[in-house]
Amino acid sequence: MLLAIDTGNTNVKIGIFEGNRIRASWAIYTRINQTADEYAVMLLNMLKNQGIDTQDISDVAISCVVPPLRRTLNQLFERYFNLKPLMVGPGIKTGIRIRMDNPREVGSDRIANATAAHHIYKGTVIVVAMGTATAFDTVSKAGDYLGG
């Protein structure tokens, strides 16, 4: 199973995927001062509540726009799951090309959303993300992230 995390400024959204099917999902408040152990208590309880064992998790992918939490989340998964998470960001092969003057300025959340939309819809798409801020992004049919 894949454990996917979207860490935003307001909420951390968590999803468990079995193939293409979402088995469970949760949202918790983003707390930048919370430790890896504190996040682990919440996550382990949520998994247990759904009958999911940590051994069932084979992969972890994280999109994080809150820099202080990147290290915390890495520690969480290395310590409690014995996994090194994939951190979405510049340089990660996603199947889309970032056609911006400075690709490093594109948030990992926007890259993840654009990648998912391109793979699901296979054509030109406008992605609307309604998180702490509302963001509009465009991906061409060829898989080029054109910005937003």
Side-chain angles (χ1 to χ4, degrees):
M1 281 187 248
L2 168 68
L3 192 154
I5 296 182
D6 176 13
T7 307
N9 291 306
T10 305
N11 290 303
V12 178
K13 280 86 63 195
I14 304 163
I16 304 289
F17 291 84
E18 281 185 300
N20 290 332
R21 185 175 77 78
I22 296 176
R23 169 133 177 222
S25 64
W26 306 274
I28 59 176
Y29 187 72
T30 302
R31 293 175 179 87
I32 63 169
N33 294 318
Q34 195 156 291
T35 67
D37 297 323
E38 291 169 318
Y39 271 109
V41 168
M42 282 194 292
L43 180 57
L44 294 171
N45 279 322
M46 291 185 294
L47 290 170
K48 183 178 179 183
N49 217 14
Q50 292 294 314
I52 301 170
D53 190 283
T54 58
Q55 298 300 312
D56 296 334
I57 307 298
S58 59
D59 298 288
V60 178
I62 299 172
S63 166
C64 182
V65 298
V66 185
L69 286 180
R70 288 185 188 130
R71 182 174 177 192
T72 301
L73 294 171
N74 268 316
Q75 289 173 342
L76 160 65
F77 290 104
E78 288 174 2
R79 184 177 302 150
Y80 290 93
F81 291 76
N82 202 29
L83 293 171
K84 180 161 180 52
L86 171 73
M87 282 283 184
V88 176
I92 296 295
K93 301 293 181 205
T94 61
I96 64 170
R97 292 167 300 281
I98 310 298
R99 300 291 191 200
M100 303 294 296
D101 290 338
N102 188 352
R104 294 197 174 280
E105 291 180 351
V106 180
S108 62
D109 54 341
R110 296 176 92 164
I111 293 169
N113 292 341
T115 300
H118 175 67
H119 287 288
I120 292 169
Y121 297 105
K122 313 270 190 251
T124 301
V125 64
I126 296 173
V127 180
V128 180
M130 301 172 88
T132 304
T134 300
F136 297 84
D137 295 297
T138 305
V139 182
S140 73
K141 183 175 184 172
D144 295 328
Y145 174 85
L146 303 174

